[in-house]
Amino acid sequence: MKGSSLKLQNWLFTFIVLGLTTLRADQVTNWNVVAMGAALAAGQAPPVQTRTSAIVHIAIHDALNAIDRRNAPYALETRADQGAAPAAAVAAAARDTLIALIPAQRESIETAYSAALAEVSDASARASGVAIGQAAAALILSRRSADGANATAAWSPGSLPGQYRQTPPANAAPIVPHWGNVTPFALRDVTQYRVDPPPDLSVDQYAYEVNEVKLVGGATSRMRTDEQSEIARHWYEASAQSWNRIARSASEQQRLDLWENGRLFALVNIALADGYFANFESKYLFNFWRPVTAIRDGDLDGNLDTVGESDWNAFLNTPAIPEWPSGHATVGAAAAEVMMRFFHTDYLAFSLTAGPPFAGSARQYYSFSQAALENANSRVLAGIHFRASCVAGLAQGQRIGDYVYHNVLRPIR
């Protein structure tokens, strides 16, 4: 069954890639779709997807920037040969980074690459564009080769009340426990915006948090409305997928040019990646338990206002990561903050159609912050986060997004 599912994912990715170059005129948004599809088809964990997409879009940005210097480069200071084709530069930067990071998707990536280069008729311009794209890719890949992403970290479950332990039904070991040690792209270090500790188990706030999730986030909750269930499912997918889709929608609506898209998607994906690095540093530092274990062990936490419910289950399965703060809330707020700054307004209306695992639902938003708030709230409705954890994540993400926007890829004219 698992093999059949992977084959289906690969087929869908190939189908998307084959049609991209005829459906989209902008090579940046084109390759954004390719990158997102490749990460999804390869089964990369949500935090890993954001590192991949940040590297890809930094290479794309720097390749374009070498042709027409509009912003401070992230890494590549070299200038392209005169007449270098921007489309070829974007394609080469994306192709080389993606194959290095997701080699299992080489065939589909090469298909997209060949189609992109076929659109550049001038052989000399094509060769110059490819050369600068390859240079941008090689430099950022070299810089990130020892960032700690391929390291490992020991982890063992807690046993005391409040300590994270594996969550039912899968009871899987936590994913990428070393992620909080990876070197960020823009932040000075991962502790720069560390959140405050979670509430003590004995206080009223903690009891309120537990009882709220128990009532609205349970698998059989009668308090959660049909719309709230839709919201929980709508935002359940990996954050890199949904927030890059939002960025593509905003880009299309605002008719950004190739260079503007190069900067936008690099900034958004740097914010997403740094959001996860910082978030996981806090998560594994505080190592706080998730609602499903907190509710089941409610009689053991020392709080008289919580009552254990040994067979309670969340509406949606709890990701295998410690609780505090919500990663979805952090990275969603970081991406939203970047886009607010980039477009000089929060109020840009858009529609977002959900992707796997609950693909198809569409919801309308009038602002980036509204989407970020609903994204955070969805985790309470799904039964997989406490509300205070989402609030802490929103605050952390806003600060990260603001820092990223003001400290990398600054316009020079």
Side-chain angles (χ1 to χ4, degrees), residues 7-352:
K7 287 180 182 177
L8 177 59
Q9 283 185 329
N10 289 338
W11 181 87
L12 286 171
F13 174 50
T14 303
F15 176 77
I16 291 169
V17 167
L18 286 171
L20 277 175
T21 52
T22 58
L23 292 176
R24 294 176 181 272
D26 187 324
Q27 286 294 332
V28 174
T29 54
N30 182 348
W31 280 99
N32 179 261
V33 176
V34 174
M36 293 298 100
L40 189 63
Q44 286 190 341
V48 180
Q49 290 183 29
T50 63
R51 175 181 178 270
T52 295
S53 57
I55 290 173
V56 170
H57 282 287
I58 287 170
I60 289 173
H61 170 272
D62 277 7
L64 286 171
N65 208 43
I67 295 172
D68 181 4
R69 184 62 54 87
R70 299 187 182 186
N71 312 310
Y74 184 88
L76 185 67
E77 298 284 350
T78 304
R79 299 294 185 117
D81 291 342
Q82 188 172 1
V90 170
R95 179 258 182 202
D96 282 17
T97 49
L98 282 171
I99 286 179
L101 298 169
I102 317 178
Q105 295 299 312
R106 174 184 285 271
E107 183 177 352
S108 297
I109 294 164
E110 293 285 21
T111 299
Y113 181 61
S114 297
L117 291 189
E119 295 185 354
V120 184
S121 58
D122 186 315
S124 176
R126 182 172 60 245
S128 295
V130 167
I132 199 64
Q134 290 176 335
L139 184 53
I140 187 59
L141 287 169
S142 175
R143 287 202 177 184
R144 299 302 298 187
S145 63
D147 65 2
N150 296 319
T152 58
W155 179 88
S156 57
S159 58
L160 298 176
Q163 292 181 338
Y164 178 80
R165 68 285 311 271
Q166 290 158 297
T167 55
N171 293 313
I175 63 170
V176 291
H178 67 289
W179 211 246
N181 298 321
V182 180
T183 304
F185 288 92
L187 298 181
R188 292 189 299 273
D189 62 73
V190 291
T191 67
Q192 185 173 340
Y193 296 119
R194 179 185 288 170
V195 299
D196 292 335
D200 188 272
L201 304 187
S202 65
V203 302
D204 291 344
Q205 180 194 356
Y206 173 74
Y208 174 85
E209 301 279 336
V210 170
N211 290 319
E212 180 190 22
V213 177
K214 184 190 291 189
L215 286 173
V216 303
T220 59
S221 171
R222 296 181 180 180
M223 298 287 290
R224 189 180 56 252
T225 66
D226 289 343
E227 183 184 16
Q228 289 173 327
S229 294
E230 178 192 353
I231 290 169
R233 290 188 292 261
H234 183 80
W235 287 101
Y236 195 71
E237 70 174 317
S239 292
Q241 302 291 329
S242 54
W243 286 99
N244 273 280
R245 203 175 301 123
I246 290 169
R248 292 197 300 270
S249 177
S251 165
E252 181 178 0
Q253 186 180 141
Q254 297 300 303
R255 300 182 180 277
L256 300 186
D257 68 23
L258 201 63
W259 277 261
E260 289 168 331
N261 274 332
R263 179 169 178 256
L264 170 66
F265 283 92
L267 287 171
V268 166
N269 285 288
I270 288 170
L272 288 168
D274 278 10
Y276 265 128
F277 299 143
N279 180 268
F280 271 52
E281 191 277 332
S282 290
K283 278 182 178 293
Y284 284 96
L285 172 69
F286 297 117
N287 207 37
F288 200 56
W289 61 2
R290 301 292 288 237
V292 64
T293 47
I295 291 169
R296 290 186 176 200
D297 291 346
D299 291 337
L300 307 177
D301 60 16
N303 193 312
L304 297 179
D305 292 322
T306 62
V307 177
E309 194 171 320
S310 61
D311 59 351
W312 189 89
N313 284 302
F315 174 47
L316 301 178
N317 288 342
T318 302
I321 327 166
E323 162 73 13
W324 191 270
S326 163
H328 243 55
T330 293
V331 300
E337 187 71 20
V338 163
M339 285 189 271
M340 280 186 249
R341 301 288 183 179
F342 185 94
F343 292 107
H344 306 291
T345 182
D346 183 21
Y347 297 100
L348 198 157
F350 57 90
S351 173
L352 175 65

